[in-house]
Amino acid sequence: QVQLVESGGGLVQAGGSLRLSCAASGGTFSKYAMGWFRQAPGKEREFVAAIVRSGGGTYYANSVKGRFTISRDNAKNTVYLQINSLKPEDTAVYFCAAVYTSFSALYTKPYEYDYWGQGTQVTVSS
């Protein structure tokens, strides 16, 4: 069983930056592909970014490409999401997720993930 704990959210002005972290425990972190999702009030959970087990491959939603960067440190059992040039429409609860995989694969659908964190709130003021 993998436990995921996000941190780093907060209130920031448009144009600002945040770095979200997701600390994993209870499993062999390097055997899990990781992803970030977000959910705004009244909306479905949406894919933001994904990273393969080794960290050597990443994939982004079009809405965040060029502004968000996903990375991981397998020695620290942590995945990160660097968020730059924040916009009010980025306001949401951000979740990290993990899926056990034998492949160097990327996953973009919520149902593909086995474990979820509790989320961290990001609020962007205009």
Side-chain angles (χ1 to χ4, degrees), residues 2 61 113:
V2 173
Y113 285 85

Side-chain angles (χ1 to χ4, degrees), residues 104-126:
S104 181
L106 296 161
Y107 301 87
T108 64
K109 303 294 191 296
Y111 66 80
E112 295 176 308
Y113 285 85
D114 302 317
Y115 304 100
W116 292 83
Q118 83 291 346
T120 185
Q121 177 72 46
V122 172
T123 303
V124 184
S125 63
S126 57

Side-chain angles (χ1 to χ4, degrees), residues 28-80:
T28 303
F29 185 65
S30 61
K31 294 186 177 182
Y32 290 82
M34 301 297 295
W36 284 96
F37 291 78
R38 65 186 181 186
Q39 188 165 18
K43 295 188 176 181
E44 292 187 354
R45 191 167 298 191
E46 67 169 347
F47 168 76
V48 173
I51 190 166
V52 300
R53 300 187 313 173
S54 68
T58 58
Y59 184 76
Y60 298 91
N62 287 336
S63 59
V64 307
K65 200 173 296 182
R67 298 189 298 123
F68 290 18
T69 303
I70 187 171
S71 61
R72 65 190 293 163
D73 185 338
N74 285 349
K76 295 183 178 180
N77 292 352
T78 303
V79 62
Y80 305 97

Side-chain angles (χ1 to χ4, degrees), residues 1-35:
Q1 191 80 5
V2 173
Q3 291 81 44
L4 302 172
V5 179
E6 301 97 333
S7 61
L11 173 63
V12 63
Q13 288 189 330
S17 298
L18 284 173
R19 189 194 195 200
L20 308 184
S21 299
C22 172
S25 61
T28 303
F29 185 65
S30 61
K31 294 186 177 182
Y32 290 82
M34 301 297 295

